[in-house]
């Protein structure tokens, strides 16, 4: 029983690290995008947001791979992919709920991003699989409903 708590704690730390990286890269890409478009009088598009996303995937995948490998979470490829996908979904939800183009707080972003990998790791334990899958499902449904509510409140309808 103590092994599962170690796996959950370790994967939460890995999720927090990748969440912190996502926030730092988010802030960097927004600042560079605003700097590059500051002198533009017309509509300006830059590649900085895409570069920030690509850098996050490039840096977060090895962190999650190493952490889940050290924690002996198997199957490794599936859990790393699922952790990245769930964290990407969390980033999209946080971006949809943000009042500005910036992440609201460090604690909220890092805390919410730290939830993804432990939930995926929980799904790999046969005795806890139902709880993990149900929690992931609730998280995804809550995220979708929050984004839809945010869009409706801001005046845009799906």
């Amino acid at each position: 029983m103590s092994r599962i708590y170690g796996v959950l704690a370790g994967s939460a730390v890995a999720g927090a690290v990748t969440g912190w990286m996502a926030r730092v890269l988010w802030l960097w890409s927004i600042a560079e995008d605003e700097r590059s478009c500051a002198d533009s009088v017309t509509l300006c598009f830059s590649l900085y947001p895409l570069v920030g996303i690509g850098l996050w995937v490039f840096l977060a995948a090895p962190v999650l791979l190493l952490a889940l490998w050290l924690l002996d979470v198997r199957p490794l490829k599936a859990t790393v992919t699922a952790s990245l996908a769930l964290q990407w979904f969390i980033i999209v939800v946080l971006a949809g709920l943000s009042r500005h183009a910036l992440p609201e707080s460090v604690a909220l972003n890092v805390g919410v991003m730290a939830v993804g990998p432990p939930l995926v790791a929980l799904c790999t334990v046969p005795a806890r699989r139902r709880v993990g899958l149900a929690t992931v499902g609730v998280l995804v449904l809550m995220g979708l409903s929050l984004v839809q509510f945010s869009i409706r409140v801001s005046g845009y309808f799906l």
Side-chain angles (χ1 to χ4, degrees):
M1 188 58 124
S2 64
R3 182 188 179 285
I4 187 66
Y5 294 124
V7 168
L8 293 178
S11 58
V13 168
V17 168
T18 57
W20 175 79
M21 285 190 315
R23 183 175 189 275
V24 167
L25 289 169
W26 189 350
L27 291 173
W28 170 80
S29 67
I30 289 172
E32 289 298 317
D33 185 47
E34 289 176 355
R35 185 186 60 77
S36 68
C37 291
D39 296 331
S40 178
V41 292
T42 62
L43 195 58
C44 177
F45 294 106
S46 72
L47 293 177
Y48 286 109
L50 293 176
V51 170
I53 292 167
L55 277 174
W56 177 75
V57 170
F58 182 73
L59 296 172
V63 168
L64 289 171
L65 182 71
L66 180 65
L68 295 176
W69 177 70
L70 289 173
L71 294 168
D72 198 32
V73 176
R74 301 292 185 260
L76 193 58
K77 290 178 186 175
T79 54
V80 170
T81 305
S83 294
L84 277 173
L86 191 56
Q87 284 193 320
W88 176 251
F89 177 75
I90 291 169
I91 289 172
V92 169
V93 169
L94 289 175
L97 295 176
S98 178
R99 290 184 188 164
H100 314 294
L102 302 171
E104 297 298 330
S105 73
V106 177
L108 174 68
N109 290 334
V110 172
V112 173
M113 293 285 284
V115 171
L119 286 177
V120 172
L122 192 64
C123 293
T124 63
V125 179
R128 306 275 189 253
R129 187 166 291 143
R130 284 188 182 153
V131 173
L133 290 173
T135 308
V136 169
V138 167
L139 178 72
V140 169
L141 287 176
M142 281 178 42
L144 289 174
S145 63
L146 285 173
V147 168
Q148 185 176 4
F149 176 74
S150 172
I151 290 171
R152 288 183 190 272
V153 167
S154 66
Y156 300 105
F157 295 98
L158 293 176

